[in-house]
Amino acid sequence: MPAQPEFGDAATMIDGPGASRSGSASTHKHAHAHVASGRAKGAESASGTTFARTPDYFSEERPFVVLIGKRGVLGALEELDGHLRAAGHNKILSNKVPTDWIGKEIAPGMIGLINHGGMPKLLTKPGRYPGFPLRNWWARSYKEMRGLSDTVINFQGLTVVQVSQNQAAIISDPQNHIFVLKNSGFVAYGVTGSYDVLAIVDQTHLPHAIKDHVTGAILGRSFEVRMTSATGPANSSTKDYVVALFLDIPANNCAILQSGNDLELLPAGQHCITHPNVTLRGLYTLGENQFEMPTKDIFTRDQVPVSLKLYLKWQLEEPLKLATHGYETPYDALRDKTQSILTQIVAHLDYSSMIKQRSIGGDSVEDPESPSQFLDALRSHAMDDLHAAALEYGIILKDLAVIDRQFKGEIASTMDKLTKRALQAQVEAANVDRENSNKVKQEEGVLSVARIKAKTRSAAADAEAYSTVAAAKAAAERTRLEAEAQAHATRLAAEAEAAAIRIKARADAEVADEFAQEMSRGRQEIRRVAAFGNKAVFVPTEAMGVASQVLTGMAAGVGADLRK
């Protein structure tokens, strides 16, 4: 086997292949440069980091190791078989010719594995392989059939590994060097040792979630690959050792890695760390965060205990500064600084001033609203100090508010009683105001109802008067129309009767026959007598005009009687 490369898996390179990680002064300068750069280093890609940089295992020529290329697994096995024969070792591909009628069957896309006296032999051609003559199987035993597309095949020192896009294989070579295989494959024969596949990892679905113990948010996911090693005498117990760490860091998050006294910022993405002596220091969120922070009991100048609850909004800008000070989360750093600053502020105040004061100065004014004003002043004073202190940890404090204040001990019970009384008075006053308001609204409602009723009655009277006038006009118009119709009918009847009499008289006058005339006069006499009675005496008049009028009237009467 050729010599190992100058920088293998056990070496961590810094700024090129000419420097290895050690405790030298240049290394510490590099680490401090990381700390000073802060967020700028977070913009580097995974390949630009030091601890997460994975050397190319196949950049050096490895004996009896062949990468799987375009020809696939069979092509790589044929090339490996040629290397073994050229080096004087036994070949691994069997010369057996398949048949189609009896024996072990090898399907297309599969290979058969044969144990030939502890050496691997492979049946690569599809078909049936008979079990005779006996010299074919005297020192051989057929084991199993495997697929050419299987991710891992490990048989009698022969190792075949091929992983897909999201998979990563963690492999230990014969010298126990750990390397990572991604989106490729190889075939190898361990003449001086074995290639052990420790794990096949799905990089997009790591099993272990890393959560923020304050907010509960998932900061990232991790998976540790372990290798079992025997460190004692034969048949002794074995131990597991972590040989690789997989990290899946979401966007806008980062991780801090530590090796000795050196720290490095790892940006968001999928990473695999195989370098030795590198541990995960913590995962952080670079975006804006907020939480509530209760403080421990703080004593005033007259030894009155008080506890505060704060609301903090912050953003982590330089995670390396936070990790350098030994804090795992920004919450821990802000909690310690907040407790210290508030203790200094409250220790210079009396209990009475905290109740009455408008500000942290010396002016005291009796004002029911002064506690809230005092809290605002406390917020302003603490905000300035805490903002300056947070910058030392790479944190920008954006907002701070005191959302609760509680006094402890006997004073707390007294304050509770006074507060309850004040609240009761406020509630009673509010109830009185509410009752008065309800009464006023009720009276206003009654007045509105009366106005609406009056408007309704007025509208009903107007409608009734309008209906009466309209009915009277309709009745008068109906009477007038009926009278006009009756008069018109009477006039038409009279005109018709007159016309009938004239026509009849004209007809009688036009009769020339004397007998007929006599008969007409006889009929007229009969009608006259019938009209006036048999006792009536008719006296002729001297004036012909009068006689004519009498005759005309009689004729009209006779005609009327005849019509009846």
Side-chain angles (χ1 to χ4, degrees):
M1 178 174 293
Q4 294 294 328
E6 182 179 358
F7 300 99
D9 295 301
T12 301
M13 295 181 290
I14 303 176
D15 294 340
S20 62
R21 179 164 297 277
S22 63
S24 62
S26 61
T27 301
H28 290 290
K29 291 181 180 179
H30 182 76
H32 290 306
H34 272 300
V35 174
S37 62
R39 181 70 180 274
K41 281 292 182 182
E44 295 180 355
S45 63
S47 60
T49 60
T50 301
F51 296 154
R53 182 181 302 164
T54 302
D56 185 6
Y57 182 80
F58 301 102
S59 61
E60 297 290 335
E61 183 179 355
R62 306 282 180 176
F64 311 124
V65 177
V66 178
L67 291 174
I68 299 175
K70 295 182 179 180
R71 297 177 58 195
V73 176
L74 289 180
L77 288 174
E78 292 175 358
E79 184 177 351
L80 176 61
D81 187 71
H83 292 172
L84 288 172
R85 286 184 295 176
H89 296 283
N90 294 330
K91 61 182 181 179
I92 60 174
L93 297 182
S94 176
N95 292 329
K96 291 184 178 298
V97 179
T99 64
D100 57 359
W101 58 284
I102 193 173
K104 302 293 185 180
E105 180 180 344
I106 304 299
M110 309 292 287
I111 58 174
L113 305 181
I114 298 175
N115 183 358
H116 185 182
M119 299 289 293
K121 279 294 191 300
L122 306 180
L123 302 175
T124 60
K125 298 178 181 180
R128 292 180 178 271
Y129 291 85
F132 57 83
L134 294 178
R135 60 184 176 84
N136 289 344
W137 302 98
W138 184 259
R140 304 177 183 90
S141 60
Y142 179 82
K143 293 302 182 182
E144 60 178 331
M145 181 173 58
R146 297 293 298 272
L148 290 173
S149 60
D150 289 356
T151 302
V152 177
I153 300 176
N154 200 331
F155 178 69
Q156 299 297 115
L158 176 67
T159 302
V160 180
V161 181
Q162 47 186 345
V163 292
S164 62
Q165 288 85 348
N166 292 332
Q167 291 178 327
I170 306 300
I171 304 166
S172 172
D173 70 358
Q175 285 72 40
N176 285 339
H177 292 167
I178 306 299
F179 65 96
V180 182
L181 184 67
K182 298 181 181 179
N183 198 23
S184 61
F186 73 96
V187 295
Y189 183 69
V191 176
T192 59
S194 62
Y195 286 84
D196 297 327
V197 180
L198 303 179
I200 302 295
V201 181
D202 185 355
Q203 299 180 91
T204 59
H205 297 84
L206 300 181
H208 305 301
I210 302 176
K211 294 185 178 181
D212 190 330
H213 68 274
V214 179
T215 62
I218 296 179
L219 302 176
R221 292 184 174 273
S222 67
F223 178 68
E224 291 182 347
V225 178
R226 297 175 177 268
M227 181 176 68
T228 301
S229 299
T231 58
N235 299 325
S236 63
S237 61
T238 59
K239 293 183 179 180
D240 290 342
Y241 296 90
V242 176
V243 295
L245 173 64
F246 282 85
L247 290 176
D248 186 4
I249 305 174
N252 206 31
N253 286 7
C254 66
I256 300 296
L257 302 178
Q258 182 175 4
S259 178
N261 293 328
D262 300 322
L263 301 175
E264 184 173 282
L265 181 66
L266 195 63
Q270 297 172 354
H271 308 276
C272 178
I273 303 163
T274 58
H275 293 291
N277 302 324
V278 175
T279 58
L280 177 64
R281 182 65 179 271
L283 270 73
Y284 304 96
T285 298
L286 298 177
E288 188 175 281
N289 284 274
Q290 56 188 9
F291 51 73
E292 295 181 2
M293 178 185 294
T295 64
K296 299 179 181 179
D297 291 347
I298 303 174
F299 291 88
T300 61
R301 186 165 58 184
D302 47 0
Q303 297 301 309
V304 176
V306 60
S307 64
L308 304 173
K309 181 181 288 187
L310 306 179
Y311 166 81
L312 296 177
K313 181 184 290 186
W314 51 270
Q315 182 172 354
L316 181 62
E317 288 289 332
E318 299 178 79
L320 286 173
K321 286 187 177 181
L322 180 65
T324 303
H325 286 81
Y327 289 104
E328 294 184 356
T329 64
Y331 178 85
D332 299 329
L334 293 177
R335 179 187 57 193
D336 293 345
K337 275 296 179 182
T338 301
Q339 184 74 29
S340 175
I341 292 174
L342 292 179
T343 300
Q344 295 177 6
I345 295 175
V346 176
H348 293 81
L349 301 176
D350 295 331
Y351 167 73
S352 59
S353 65
M354 296 185 67
I355 298 299
K356 302 176 183 179
Q357 253 181 281
R358 289 182 178 270
S359 64
I360 299 180
D363 298 333
S364 297
V365 180
E366 294 290 343
D367 190 348
E369 298 182 357
S370 59
S372 62
Q373 296 174 357
F374 169 78
L375 294 180
D376 292 339
L378 178 63
R379 169 193 175 278
S380 301
H381 193 71
M383 180 73 178
D384 297 336
D385 295 342
L386 189 57
H387 178 74
L391 291 177
E392 299 179 4
Y393 306 113
I395 303 173
I396 295 180
L397 187 63
K398 295 188 173 183
D399 191 15
L400 182 147
V402 182
I403 59 177
D404 191 17
R405 176 188 62 179
Q406 293 182 354
F407 295 97
K408 302 296 182 67
E410 183 178 354
I411 294 180
S413 60
T414 304
M415 287 295 299
D416 289 340
K417 293 179 181 178
L418 295 177
T419 303
K420 289 180 180 179
R421 292 178 183 175
L423 290 176
Q424 289 177 355
Q426 292 179 1
V427 170
E428 292 176 358
N431 291 335
V432 172
D433 292 340
R434 186 167 55 253
E435 291 177 359
N436 293 336
S437 177
N438 291 338
K439 290 181 180 179
V440 171
K441 290 182 179 179
Q442 185 176 4
E443 294 297 332
E444 291 178 351
V446 172
L447 180 60
S448 299
V449 171
R451 289 176 180 173
I452 293 173
K453 289 182 178 180
K455 289 182 180 179
T456 303
R457 288 194 296 268
S458 176
D462 292 343
E464 185 177 358
Y466 178 78
S467 299
T468 303
V469 172
K473 289 182 178 180
E477 185 67 18
R478 183 173 62 252
T479 303
R480 184 181 66 79
L481 293 176
E482 289 177 353
E484 289 181 355
Q486 186 175 4
H488 184 65
T490 303
R491 185 169 58 254
L492 292 177
E495 291 178 354
E497 289 179 1
I501 294 172
R502 284 194 299 272
I503 293 171
K504 191 173 183 182
R506 190 180 299 114
D508 292 339
E510 291 178 354
V511 176
D513 190 5
E514 293 182 358
F515 179 76
Q517 293 178 356
E518 185 65 25
M519 290 297 294
S520 176
R521 285 193 291 269
R523 287 192 299 271
Q524 184 176 1
E525 184 68 20
I526 291 172
R527 287 195 296 271
R528 184 174 58 180
V529 172
F532 294 98
N534 54 3
K535 295 181 179 182
V537 178
F538 298 95
V539 179
T541 60
E542 296 180 356
M544 293 302 295
V546 176
S548 178
Q549 293 177 358
V550 172
L551 290 174
T552 302
M554 292 177 61
V558 172
D561 293 335
L562 292 176
R563 287 192 297 273
K564 295 179 179 180

